[in-house]
Amino acid sequence: MLLAIDVGNTNSVFALHDGTAYLADWRCATDVKRTADEYFVWLRQLMDHHGVSAKQIDAVVISSTAAGTMFNLRVLADRYFGVRPIVVGKPETAVGIDVRVDPGTRVGADRLVNTLSAWRTYGGEVIVIDFGTATTIDVVGEDGAYEGGIIAPGVNLALKALETAATALPEIDVTKPEKVIGLNTVACMQSGIYWGYVSLIEGLCRRIMDERGRKMKVIATGGLSPLFARGTDVIDAVDGDLTLRGLAAIYELNKQGKT
């Protein structure tokens, strides 16, 4: 059984794949101080709840964008599951796609995973929007290659910056306002965050398509993707399992020795 680990800057997802489909997935806050032992105690309880033992885990694949987390995840794989993990982003790990960026540029592991998954699911000429700590917008070429993208501040990061810098403003939740024009402070802030990001998404996707001279399918993933998809018709599909499917695909590529 495969344990897939997707580590973001804010949250980490651990998921079990039986070779056909994912059986369960769990989320925890990303913490560089969390040890391999702490990971295992937490995981074992969740796996026990699903009737899965540590002995059944015979493979681990990891994608991480959070610096400092990889050491303890490697120890987790080795000490408790007795396997050497496949790590996305390492030179020896095949990702199944070309990466067409400037020489010396390092592309985040999560973006490569999403590109492969989007290409296999939706074909080429796709835009992938990932609502994470950063909001990333990536371009999948006709042949599945990663062909660049955009990085913007994440929704919650922008909101936190607003609340921190403007001390007179209250803390708010991200939600879809009924109207664009707010009639009180909270409504004004909610409109600025929600409709501001909707406009950002619509504007950047339109500019990407204009630059490439063609219509492209737009796929959204990440925790806030369903919320923002309700505010625009530029998003063609919301795919919450995009990254996990990509991790399973990368595991299969490397297990079989394919490129």
Side-chain angles (χ1 to χ4, degrees), residues 32-191:
V32 297
K33 297 179 181 179
R34 184 171 285 122
T35 67
D37 303 324
E38 290 171 320
Y39 277 123
F40 183 69
V41 169
W42 172 75
L43 265 178
R44 184 176 58 184
Q45 295 179 64
L46 293 168
M47 291 192 301
D48 286 347
H49 182 71
H50 285 78
V52 177
S53 70
K55 293 181 180 180
Q56 291 176 264
I57 306 299
D58 56 10
V60 176
V61 60
I62 305 171
S63 168
S64 177
T65 59
T69 60
M70 191 57 68
F71 174 78
N72 281 306
L73 292 172
R74 285 180 176 272
V75 173
L76 170 71
D78 177 61
R79 180 180 297 167
Y80 290 106
F81 305 120
V83 299
R84 180 180 180 182
I86 295 168
V87 179
V88 182
K90 292 296 182 182
E92 66 271 19
T93 301
V95 293
I97 55 171
D98 287 335
V99 181
R100 298 179 184 138
V101 295
D102 290 341
T105 300
R106 182 181 178 185
V107 180
D110 56 332
R111 304 172 83 179
L112 298 178
V113 172
N114 285 346
T115 296
L116 174 62
S117 185
W119 180 49
R120 289 193 168 198
T121 306
Y122 304 99
E125 297 296 351
V126 172
I127 297 171
V128 177
I129 305 171
D130 192 345
F131 291 90
T133 304
T135 298
T136 58
I137 304 177
D138 295 309
V139 175
V140 182
E142 186 176 3
D143 61 350
Y146 177 84
E147 296 188 340
I150 297 163
I151 301 174
V155 177
N156 287 315
L157 187 62
L159 182 57
K160 188 65 176 176
L162 180 63
E163 294 168 350
T164 301
T167 56
L169 296 179
E171 294 185 6
I172 64 168
D173 294 326
V174 181
T175 187
K176 180 184 177 183
E178 293 183 4
K179 298 179 179 180
V180 175
I181 301 173
L183 298 180
N184 56 67
T185 301
V186 170
C188 290
M189 293 174 67
Q190 289 174 335
S191 183

